[in-house]
Amino acid sequence: MFEKKSVVPSKALLISFLALFLLLVPALSSAKASSGGDDKEGATDFILHHVVDDYTWHFFDGDYGTIYLPVILYSEDRGIEVFSSHHFYNEAHEKIAYNGYEISEDGHIAALDEGRHAMDFSITKNTAMLILIMIVLSVIVLSAARHYKKNPRTAPKGVASFLEPIIIYIRDEIAKPNIGKKYEKFMPYLLTLFFFIWFGNLLGLLPGASNLTGNIAVTFVLAMFTFVFTNINGNKDYWKHVFATPGVPKPLLLIMVPVEFVGLFTKPFSLMVRLFVAITAGHIVILSLIALVFIFQSHAVGVASTIMVIFINMIELLVATIQAYVFTLFSAMYIGAAVAEHEHH
Amino acid sequence: MIAANLLSPGVGLIVYQAIGFLILLFVLGKFAWKPILGALKEREDSIESALLSAEQAKNEMQALQADNEKLLAEARVERDSILKEAIATATSIKESAKEETSKITARMIEDAKAAIEIEKKAALTDVKNKVAVLSLEITEKLLRKQLEDQKAQKELIDGFVKDLNLN
């Protein structure tokens, strides 16, 4: 019985490995061409290009594999400038200067003149990804909401039945225990936060997708939202706890108040860094394993690293969910600490 | 180095992310989370109230049943008492009727006896009277015959007088 059963999945597994391996072959040859002489240096560039923001959206090499996204710049002397990022590349896909600007070493657009400075509001790869995630998330969530508007008292169906347990989990396990009585006010924020991070993480794992939730600008903004939500809702007890910690002797307050004050900022900072690191590190691990194939150029390493990539991808699916949960949970805890009413003292 | 890009957030992305998240927060908050959370709460409330009312109905049912049983028991007791009373009444009526009847019978018998006695007395008196009249007549006749002579008359009167004196 057992032996018979185990044959089928192992066969399927073997076929899928083979298929993945075959898919990797053209990528391998293209990477060899683009990486130039030094394979290790090329691998680092290959990995970093996949995790950082860009002015183009590169799917595969060739004439149609790259989408050139619009560059939007604002400078005091020239006003708003809009042009395609195609101008920054020549026919050999090498970076060139255009219109007094260039893409500098750190990947941002900089003015060629020393004295000039331009604000960069370009629709970058991550901005495009952001719009994509917003659309996907809105379509899914709004279609689920339609069920509740039509027949609010019936059991959920379709998308609603997929979202409902998550919504109930966030309400009953994250918001209620950590925030307390006033949880209802923060539910829309926590739900939007969770689903945005979760969808961002999951969509970011797709091949060719952009690493949006692993970008420090994005995690910075999300952490700032939690920071703002926490502090504008902070009650008397919360501020008293920061600036006149109860039960602490006066001389110790000289140490405690700065610590508590810094704590206000370390909380969102930890949120920002945690999400950024977890997602970016995951991408780097997967890309490193893929890069191994290009460096060693051996079939055995190809098979082994493909198996590892699949394994890490599974873990990344888990990490995507855990990080969304953790960000939401900590946000709820910080908000809860700000609105909590202490009956003691 | 391109690696520096990892830690240098793009101004544009910060702005777009902030705007995008605010739009999501507003749109989803207004058109999705609010109705969904409202519906969830409504459904939970309705389930809770349904359970509560079911419990209440059960209790009411039990109370009703108990009431019914009580009523039934009361009715049974009442029926028993009515029956008992009826039997008692019937018995007493029978008894009294019997008594009455025997009384009447007795009186009738007594009356009859009294009438018979009276009749008897009357008859006897009648007979006595008749006997007296007859004896008188006989006496008269006898006397007439005896007293046809003077001597006998005188003897009789003397006898009477003697008797009178004795009295």
Side-chain angles (χ1 to χ4, degrees):
Chain A
M1 271 294 280
F2 268 96
E3 278 173 15
K4 251 188 188 173
K5 258 189 180 173
S6 64
V7 169
V8 182
S10 71
K11 223 182 220 170
L13 218 62
L14 200 73
I15 289 167
S16 54
F17 281 156
L18 270 172
L20 263 164
F21 181 70
L22 287 173
L23 277 173
L24 275 172
V25 172
L28 189 142
S29 57
S30 72
K32 207 164 77 181
S34 66
S35 64
D38 198 324
D39 271 346
K40 279 174 197 166
E41 188 80 7
T44 313
D45 272 357
F46 155 79
I47 291 165
L48 286 172
H49 269 295
H50 276 81
V51 291
V52 298
D53 207 356
D54 205 350
Y55 294 97
T56 63
W57 199 333
H58 181 89
F59 290 102
F60 49 85
D61 287 349
D63 289 338
Y64 305 107
T66 306
I67 295 172
Y68 292 97
L69 298 160
V71 172
I72 303 165
L73 297 170
Y74 174 79
S75 54
E76 277 182 11
D77 49 341
R78 290 198 206 165
I80 297 171
E81 290 170 278
V82 181
F83 53 90
S84 165
S85 62
H86 200 287
H87 294 293
F88 283 122
Y89 297 92
N90 62 14
E91 269 126 53
H93 202 74
E94 282 159 355
K95 279 176 191 164
I96 52 169
Y98 172 76
N99 208 10
Y101 299 105
E102 61 161 3
I103 298 176
S104 64
E105 280 286 300
D106 67 357
H108 291 300
I109 287 175
L112 288 174
D113 298 337
E114 283 288 316
R116 284 194 71 243
H117 181 74
M119 300 271 276
D120 182 4
F121 294 109
S122 304
I123 305 295
T124 59
K125 190 165 95 168
N126 276 336
T127 311
M129 187 75 184
L130 166 72
I131 293 164
L132 207 74
I133 291 169
M134 281 171 67
I135 292 167
V136 170
L137 184 57
S138 300
V139 166
I140 289 177
V141 173
L142 289 175
S143 78
R146 208 174 304 135
H147 169 84
Y148 294 93
K149 276 182 202 156
K150 263 194 221 154
N151 25 15
R153 293 205 170 180
T154 57
K157 267 184 201 155
V159 193
S161 67
F162 165 69
L163 292 185
E164 188 176 309
I166 301 167
I167 294 168
I168 290 177
Y169 183 83
I170 292 170
R171 189 192 61 181
D172 293 349
E173 306 296 330
I174 296 178
K176 268 187 196 171
N178 291 309
I179 299 177
K181 275 180 280 175
K182 295 170 191 158
Y183 78 93
E184 275 176 344
K185 187 180 162 193
F186 302 101
M187 277 306 289
Y189 174 63
L190 293 176
L191 286 168
T192 311
L193 192 64
F194 178 85
F195 281 102
F196 178 80
I197 297 172
W198 194 40
F199 274 59
N201 290 348
L202 289 178
L203 293 176
L205 282 174
L206 289 175
S210 168
N211 177 27
L212 179 71
T213 44
N215 189 292
I216 200 154
V218 171
T219 62
F220 166 74
V221 171
L222 293 176
M224 277 307 291
F225 270 106
T226 292
F227 177 74
V228 170
F229 261 93
T230 305
N231 289 300
I232 59 170
N233 286 296
N235 58 18
K236 231 193 326 186
D237 282 342
Y238 173 71
W239 292 113
K240 208 169 141 192
H241 197 85
V242 173
F243 292 111
T245 320
V248 174
K250 281 256 159 75
L252 265 182
L253 279 179
L254 282 175
I255 305 166
M256 283 303 289
V257 170
V259 168
E260 287 282 348
F261 186 74
V262 170
L264 294 180
F265 301 97
T266 54
K267 284 172 184 173
F269 185 79
S270 72
L271 285 179
M272 171 181 89
V273 173
R274 185 185 300 111
L275 184 59
F276 159 68
V277 165
I279 302 306
T280 300
H283 284 233
I284 288 173
V285 168
I286 290 174
L287 291 163
S288 305
L289 286 167
I290 291 172
L292 280 181
V293 183
F294 307 144
I295 293 167
F296 287 96
Q297 300 195 2
S298 116
H299 290 234
V301 171
V303 171
S305 77
T306 305
I307 293 167
M308 280 306 288
V309 165
I310 291 168
F311 175 67
I312 299 291
N313 244 315
M314 298 289 177
I315 290 177
E316 281 308 303
L317 288 176
L318 203 67
V319 169
T321 315
I322 291 170
Q323 286 304 323
Y325 165 71
V326 166
F327 201 109
T328 315
L329 176 70
F330 278 98
S331 295
M333 281 168 67
Y334 298 155
I335 292 169
V339 299
E341 268 159 33
H342 300 281
E343 265 137 46
H344 50 274
H345 303 309
Chain B
M1 255 313 276
I2 190 82
N5 187 285
L6 267 181
L7 289 172
S8 66
V11 181
L13 190 54
I14 290 177
V15 172
Y16 288 126
Q17 171 65 27
I19 294 168
F21 193 80
L22 277 175
I23 291 170
L24 266 185
L25 195 58
F26 175 77
V27 171
L28 296 186
K30 186 158 185 193
F31 300 109
W33 306 134
K34 213 173 156 194
I36 289 175
L37 289 169
L40 282 179
K41 200 167 186 188
E42 196 186 315
R43 196 200 303 157
E44 276 160 15
D45 286 351
S46 82
I47 288 170
E48 203 171 319
S49 75
L51 283 175
L52 219 80
S53 67
E55 186 75 16
Q56 229 164 17
K58 205 174 126 195
N59 286 345
E60 264 167 35
M61 195 76 169
Q62 263 170 355
L64 218 69
Q65 232 162 11
D67 256 18
N68 274 352
E69 251 155 54
K70 215 170 99 189
L71 272 175
L72 217 67
E74 267 171 23
R76 223 174 269 144
V77 167
E78 206 168 330
R79 188 197 65 184
D80 282 357
S81 78
I82 286 170
L83 257 176
K84 220 185 256 171
E85 224 170 279
I87 289 168
T89 316
T91 318
S92 79
I93 286 170
K94 235 193 311 190
E95 209 79 356
S96 69
K98 226 191 242 168
E99 222 167 273
E100 195 89 344
T101 316
S102 63
K103 246 187 221 166
I104 288 168
T105 319
R107 203 189 301 144
M108 273 166 83
I109 291 168
E110 228 159 82
D111 281 358
K113 268 185 187 163
I116 289 167
E117 197 70 23
I118 289 165
E119 288 295 310
K120 204 169 100 186
K121 273 185 184 160
L124 275 177
T125 318
D126 215 19
V127 170
K128 268 183 194 166
N129 285 347
K130 283 252 167 81
V131 170
V133 171
L134 275 174
S135 359
L136 269 177
E137 275 174 9
I138 293 165
T139 317
E140 208 184 302
K141 274 175 187 162
L142 277 172
L143 279 174
R144 251 172 236 260
K145 229 176 194 178
Q146 272 184 346
L147 295 174
E148 272 167 357
D149 58 303
Q150 278 291 320
K151 199 189 159 194
Q153 275 184 19
K154 193 154 173 247
E155 245 172 72
L156 187 66
I157 291 163
D158 284 346
F160 281 142
V161 170
K162 221 181 183 177
D163 279 350
L164 275 172
N165 284 346
L166 280 171
N167 282 340

